[in-house]
Amino acid sequence: MDAPLLALTRRWIGSPGGPSPEIAAAENMRQLIQLRWIAVGGQLVTILAVNLGLGVPLPLAAMLGVIGLLTVANLAATFALARHRVRNIEMMLALLLDMGALTAQLYLSGGATNPFISLYLLQVVLGAILLDGWSVWVLVALTSLCYAGLSLVSIPLSFPSQVGPEVANLHALGVWISFALIGILLAQFITRITRNLRARDTYLADLRQHAAEEDGIVRMGLFASGAAHELGTPLASLSVILSDWRRIPKIASDAELVGELEEMQAEVERCKSIVTDILDSAGEPRGEAIESAAVRSFLEEVVATWRSTHTAVALDTRWDELDGAHMVTSPELRQAIWSLLDNGAEASPAGVALHAFRTGDALTISVADDGPGFAPEQLAMVGRLGQSSKGSGHGLGLFLANNVVRRLGGRLESRNRATRGAEVRLVLPLARDRLPDDLEQA
């Protein structure tokens, strides 16, 4: 997108890859403002060239007054752009203002015989791209009426005697300049406007994709809470059975069996704890558990908990230069990091690396392994539901991690390492004075 004249908004790290409809409309209005500045400069140069260069008398006061009116209107539009939402009616009024100014200048300089009357087409084409259907037809009708009116009523140009023999050539030159000017302006500005509209459509497509993914998360949450409720009874039964087995003399006298029973009992208790957490969080309001935490203490807690259940996997950790840094966290973020570590440990049982570093106002948490890496066709689809090399029903970890970090204002990145293995990065905004508006309202 072209560099804006006004800074409208600051986008979050994980915002969709295009402007919202409101920002796209403001960007298109900015293009019209730039076009009007070109019109102001072009009209001023043309009036002075015709009046002073060719000696053709013109009503300078009136024509310069029109230019002054355009200048004031453009300054007002520039300052209002950052404060008001641009709607169809504002866009139509802007084009009608340009059409009115062009009509006034043409009326004062020959009417329909002025070679620059074809500039009306520029207004119509821009209107056809930017306006709603009814507004375009209003613009076409008014443009046609102005053209017809200028054919009947206008102030004719009076050429001095020395210019008289060249009037036909000057008119042909004016027609050519008008054609070239329209072509250049249409090519430049319609290209920019079309790019803005395509970016807006991309933004809307991303929103629809995110809505579909959120719907999938809701369905999975309902299924998980239902499954957790159903699993409570068999887990309780397993816990009782294991306790009974430990009291059997034959088992109690076998140290190896006792050790395995203790490990089984610990895993059952862990499953019961997970089920309890799912049931407890099922009724928790969205966003209630979001909080700010020190980065180092948060990562140390995540690593300590994960290591306690993966003692056989080597975990390389590094998070230098993060003293004093804070981040927005939630229980879901802990689960997302654990899920990435689980995936890395499954792909690379020998060891996994978890590194964190700061880049500007963003925190990057990297989980890397020495496994086979992502297949090329999967790399672009990482983080989407059902995309996994393990087959149907897998890939939920990356999908949920992607949605968790996006909800916290970040994004998920994935790549294959240059040597061997894969790397998944969670890029999150560091905590500021307050949470993002969408998280406060969640």
Side-chain angles (χ1 to χ4, degrees):
M1 184 180 297
D2 303 286
L5 299 178
L6 299 174
L8 294 179
T9 122
R10 182 176 183 178
R11 289 167 49 191
W12 285 90
I13 294 174
S15 60
S20 66
E22 291 79 10
I23 296 178
E27 183 64 26
N28 289 335
M29 177 63 81
R30 184 177 294 109
Q31 300 301 327
L32 290 183
I33 291 174
Q34 293 177 355
L35 182 61
R36 192 176 296 141
W37 285 124
I38 293 175
V40 166
Q43 290 178 17
L44 183 61
V45 170
T46 302
I47 290 171
L48 294 178
V50 172
N51 183 256
L52 300 179
L54 299 178
V56 178
L58 294 173
L60 290 179
M63 299 185 80
L64 294 178
V66 173
I67 293 177
L69 177 64
L70 280 179
T71 302
V72 172
N74 229 25
L75 291 173
T78 300
F79 286 111
L81 187 58
R83 298 177 177 84
H84 300 283
R85 178 182 176 183
V86 178
R87 297 169 296 178
N88 178 73
I89 188 65
E90 280 86 1
M91 200 76 71
M92 183 179 73
L93 290 176
L95 289 172
L96 289 178
L97 173 63
D98 295 335
M99 185 194 71
L102 178 61
T103 301
Q105 297 289 36
L106 293 174
Y107 170 79
L108 296 170
S109 56
T113 62
N114 192 311
F116 291 100
I117 197 166
S118 56
L119 287 173
Y120 276 132
L121 291 175
L122 181 62
Q123 310 299 326
V124 173
V125 172
L126 291 177
I129 296 174
L130 297 174
L131 301 180
D132 294 340
W134 69 270
S135 308
V136 178
W137 291 112
V138 169
L139 187 65
V140 170
L142 292 177
T143 302
S144 302
L145 289 175
C146 289
Y147 195 122
L150 290 173
S151 301
L152 301 174
V153 181
S154 65
I155 299 177
L157 293 175
S158 177
F159 294 96
S161 56
Q162 66 272 19
V163 178
E166 301 297 329
V167 169
N169 293 332
L170 290 174
H171 186 273
L173 177 62
V175 169
W176 178 84
I177 293 175
S178 176
F179 175 84
L181 183 62
I182 292 173
I184 293 172
L185 293 177
L186 285 178
Q188 180 179 6
F189 286 91
I190 290 182
T191 298
R192 293 185 177 186
I193 290 171
T194 303
R195 186 161 58 245
N196 293 336
L197 296 178
R198 282 200 301 267
R200 180 202 63 187
D201 293 340
T202 300
Y203 175 89
L204 294 176
D206 287 340
L207 286 185
R208 286 192 291 269
Q209 176 67 26
H210 293 172
E213 292 176 354
E214 291 285 348
D215 184 62
I217 292 174
V218 171
R219 291 198 304 271
M220 284 189 294
L222 293 173
F223 176 78
S225 60
H229 186 272
E230 295 295 328
L231 287 172
T233 299
L235 286 174
S237 300
L238 285 174
S239 181
V240 171
I241 293 171
L242 291 173
S243 297
D244 291 342
W245 281 4
R246 294 180 65 179
R247 290 193 290 269
I248 297 175
K250 185 176 181 180
I251 296 178
S253 61
D254 190 325
E256 184 177 353
L257 285 177
V258 169
E260 291 180 354
L261 279 177
E262 290 178 351
E263 184 177 350
M264 293 169 64
Q265 184 73 48
E267 291 301 321
V268 169
E269 291 301 321
R270 182 182 174 217
C271 290
K272 290 171 65 176
S273 175
I274 292 173
V275 167
T276 301
D277 290 342
I278 293 174
L279 293 175
D280 287 344
S281 63
E284 185 179 80
R286 178 180 170 93
E288 182 178 296
I290 292 177
E291 59 184 5
S292 176
V295 175
R296 290 185 65 92
S297 60
F298 172 77
L299 293 176
E300 288 169 356
E301 177 191 349
V302 169
V303 167
T305 305
W306 189 83
R307 273 179 169 158
S308 66
T309 57
H310 298 78
T311 55
V313 180
L315 177 60
D316 174 41
T317 61
R318 185 170 68 247
W319 40 74
D320 301 328
E321 301 179 1
L322 290 177
D323 292 332
H326 284 70
M327 62 185 293
V328 178
T329 68
S330 70
E332 293 82 4
L333 180 59
R334 295 182 180 89
Q335 292 285 351
I337 298 175
W338 288 336
S339 178
L340 295 181
L341 290 172
D342 287 343
N343 288 345
E346 185 175 349
S348 174
V352 184
L354 188 149
H355 297 163
F357 53 90
R358 181 174 186 166
T359 305
D361 58 355
L363 170 71
T364 299
I365 301 174
S366 166
V367 177
D369 60 64
D370 292 323
F374 296 108
E377 63 274 10
Q378 294 171 337
L379 199 54
M381 306 294 287
V382 169
R384 297 193 180 181
L385 186 59
Q387 300 298 322
S388 174
S389 59
K390 305 173 188 177
S392 178
H394 296 274
L396 291 180
L398 286 170
F399 170 72
L400 293 174
N402 184 36
N403 282 273
V404 168
V405 297
R406 189 173 63 205
R407 180 184 167 210
L408 295 176
R411 66 177 183 271
L412 181 143
E413 299 176 348
S414 59
R415 69 182 183 92
N416 286 326
R417 302 169 68 188
T419 54
R420 176 179 170 82
E423 179 184 14
V424 178
R425 292 184 172 187
L426 307 181
V427 184
L428 295 160
L430 291 169
R432 302 178 184 178
D433 295 336
R434 62 180 183 89
L435 296 180
D437 293 338
D438 58 337
L439 297 184
E440 289 181 342
Q441 299 170 2

